[in-house]
Amino acid sequence: MSTVIATPKPGKPWTATPQQRLITASIYLGAVLVSFTLVAITPMKGKLAYFVVFFFSSLLIDFILSYIQRGMASAKDAIARGFVSVGMTLAVLPIFSILFEVVKRGYKGLNINLFTKDMSLTSVNDPIGNGGLIHAITGTIIMVAMALIVAMPIGILTAIYLTEIRGKFAAPIKFLVQAMSGVPSIVAGLFILSAYVYPITGALSGFAGSLALMILMIPTIARTSEEVLLLIPNDLREAGVALGGTQWRTVALVVVPAAKSGLVTALILGIARVAGETAPLVLLTGGGEKVNLNPFDGPMGSLPIYIWKCFGQGTEESIARAWSGILVLLVIVLALFISARFLSERKVAK
Amino acid sequence: MDKTATKPSSLSDVAAAKQKKSPGAQSLGVGLEARGVHAWFSGKHVLDGISLDFWSGTVTALIGPSGCGKSTFIRTLNRMHEFIPGAQMAGEVLLDGKDIYESGTDVTKIRLKVGMVFQKPNPFPSMSIAENVLSGLKLAELKVADKDALLEDCLERAGLWSEVKDRLNAHGGSLSGGQQQRLCIARSLAVKPQVLLMDEPCSALDPGSTLKIEETISHLSSSMTIIIVTHNMQQAARVSDYTAFFLSDGGPGSMIEVGPTSEIFSRPRDTRTENYVTGRFG
């Protein structure tokens, strides 16, 4: 009698059995029941009351069940798990509700004119199909691009100073860069207003706006690039120098190429940081209604200003325009973040 | 090959077999001389007055327990020591009779002449296999007439050519650990060093790759000075012509004994060396 030993079926013995799932489900069911009962019989009212009662009762039931089944350590684990999940929920709830609200209110205003026309011939009460925000899109792109052209080398060179050269001033500069990333954007705007606009040009312009954006962008790029460069193993620097390279050539040929995708991420985060900045642009750009491709002359529109103005006008049409503007801005920023994530993940895959 | 086939019973037999094959007669003169080298880290004395000659065309193994200063010593020989914050040193290291620590010395030129292979394989991740091998030329801004010939020559000498010749444009990181280490050896050969320092080059590798690297070392040793730090005594016996034993008794590390490898493993003069090579401690 030959017994054929069959290959066992692949499974996941560590996952929850139906019985365990039933227990988990009943914990939540119980908590729901408790919250309904308590809200009904006590003076507590509203969504918040449901949420709070549900949270604490599910935590309590989970705690007791875990204690009975597996002891105190497991019960504490259940408590920690409960708080972590509620923290996560509270963190993502606003994000999703913002997205939901923006899409709900903004999509109605979407039409092709948004991307082909400006607001120079449109008044506040015109229907939403009249006029568009091409002047704002071009303005934002020009100002952010100009800020990036200056902030990119400054930010990355600062990071290289902090991680590669590690000179005497590394510690104070690191501190300053961190402090600078906390500078309120209105302060950057006022600084450019008093240091550039009043004494030099005397007129508002897109360039003045991009200077303020640059001030806000540098610390973001410098800090992110620093983190990225710190991840490059020291072995590579030593290998480069041991091959007879000077420090500069080692940094340029070995360290920076190895960190390239991370540095691209740093730039995109820098762009995303300033793309929605409003306060300094209100002070500095004049916020025109017409497409203006010359940043050195005349007022320049931008998406945040467009949104801010439209809300200020207060008519039904202009508020709808504002929501469409928010949607466009959000999509641009989201696209940047997704591409940043994509680029940094590709680095890990290598 | 007979080394592995006959399985010599003791380290001294291994060393003796090695000596018979190359009786150390091909020495081309003193390649590198250390004169009273001391080293400190943040004021802590870690290396106590090492004086040692490395003969051209020979392999010198540095052995000793962890923390005895072997790696620190080897890093003073191509001025990599100064990269560690808080590092200090005293003494002289003579290359072609000139002190490499003399003020005004171009340190990048020193590192071109004294190449280094590190403990962990560290190919440059942003470069292909071919670019890795030739990276030293770019880093040191050297001009070479025939890059392809140099590429093949270096990979051939590092024992890697036949394995990678069809994928020279593949990523350096796509190779196995042993291949990566041989790629790093090829990379250091491309700038034509006189001396090659190897800091435990096989400690992260499997026995098969280790054997290949040892063969590479044997091939290279005829044309250059090789100094290898190793924890593997079999390896020291197999590849080296001379062996230096380092030891630290809690204080700074010092060199206990140096001599032809066959003697160190068969009749060491110092009992501490004997205890170490016979595996009684360390």
Side-chain angles (χ1 to χ4, degrees), chain A residues 17-336:
Chain A
T17 61
Q19 192 199 354
Q20 285 164 327
R21 286 209 191 107
L22 199 68
I23 292 171
T24 314
S26 51
I27 289 173
Y28 292 121
L29 197 67
V32 170
L33 284 178
V34 169
S35 60
F36 272 102
T37 325
L38 276 184
V39 172
I41 63 172
T42 60
M44 293 189 292
K45 286 284 162 288
K47 287 178 203 162
L48 187 66
Y50 283 111
F51 180 77
V52 170
V53 175
F54 173 75
F55 170 61
F56 282 107
S57 50
S58 64
L59 208 60
L60 190 69
I61 299 171
D62 199 7
F63 177 78
I64 294 169
L65 268 179
S66 303
Y67 181 70
I68 294 168
Q69 287 179 329
R70 291 181 296 271
M72 198 58 196
S74 172
K76 283 183 188 161
D77 192 46
I79 295 275
R81 202 167 48 226
F83 275 100
V84 169
S85 347
V86 87
M88 184 274 288
T89 316
L90 290 179
V92 299
L93 212 61
I95 299 173
F96 279 107
S97 48
I98 288 173
L99 276 178
F100 178 75
E101 197 72 11
V102 168
V103 173
K104 193 178 87 179
R105 292 174 183 253
Y107 85 96
K108 282 177 284 185
L110 286 184
N111 60 68
I112 191 71
N113 284 350
L114 284 183
F115 305 100
T116 55
K117 289 189 175 154
D118 61 22
M119 291 292 285
S120 53
L121 302 171
T122 313
S123 76
V124 288
N125 290 316
D126 282 353
I128 192 147
N130 281 13
L133 37 73
I134 184 67
H135 64 298
I137 295 176
T138 53
T140 288
I141 288 174
I142 288 171
M143 284 189 280
V144 170
M146 286 180 73
L148 182 69
I149 286 168
V150 185
M152 172 169 75
I154 296 180
I156 291 180
L157 287 175
T158 307
I160 288 176
Y161 181 80
L162 292 179
T163 60
E164 308 301 318
I165 296 180
R166 281 178 285 179
K168 262 186 218 141
F169 303 108
I173 285 177
K174 195 172 170 160
F175 175 77
L176 277 177
V177 168
Q178 282 174 352
M180 247 176 91
S181 59
V183 166
S185 55
I186 188 87
V187 174
L190 284 170
F191 169 70
I192 296 299
L193 196 67
S194 58
Y196 173 74
V197 175
Y198 287 160
I200 299 172
T201 61
L204 302 177
S205 66
F207 182 65
S210 73
L211 285 178
L213 296 185
M214 186 193 84
I215 291 177
L216 297 169
M217 210 183 226
I218 289 171
T220 306
I221 294 180
R223 290 185 65 183
T224 319
S225 308
E226 188 201 348
E227 298 293 326
V228 169
L229 291 174
L230 284 176
L231 287 178
I232 302 300
N234 222 16
D235 295 9
L236 293 181
R237 297 183 179 94
E238 291 202 333
V241 173
L243 283 168
T246 57
Q247 188 179 20
W248 161 242
R249 289 192 74 80
T250 304
V251 168
L253 295 172
V254 175
V255 179
V256 169
K260 200 167 71 189
S261 58
L263 294 176
V264 172
T265 310
L267 297 182
I268 291 172
L269 289 178
I271 295 172
R273 161 77 181 80
V274 302
E277 271 306 338
T278 320
L281 301 186
V282 170
L283 287 175
L284 298 168
T285 61
E289 305 287 10
K290 237 170 50 181
V291 172
N292 174 11
L293 297 178
N294 181 359
F296 297 98
D297 186 31
M300 185 175 257
S302 58
L303 280 168
I305 299 258
Y306 175 88
I307 295 160
W308 176 73
K309 265 191 183 165
C310 288
F311 268 120
Q313 286 157 350
T315 64
E316 196 185 318
E317 289 79 9
S318 52
I319 285 179
R321 279 196 188 95
W323 280 107
S324 315
I326 294 176
L327 184 59
V328 171
L329 181 59
L330 218 58
V331 167
I332 292 175
V333 173
L334 201 68
L336 281 171

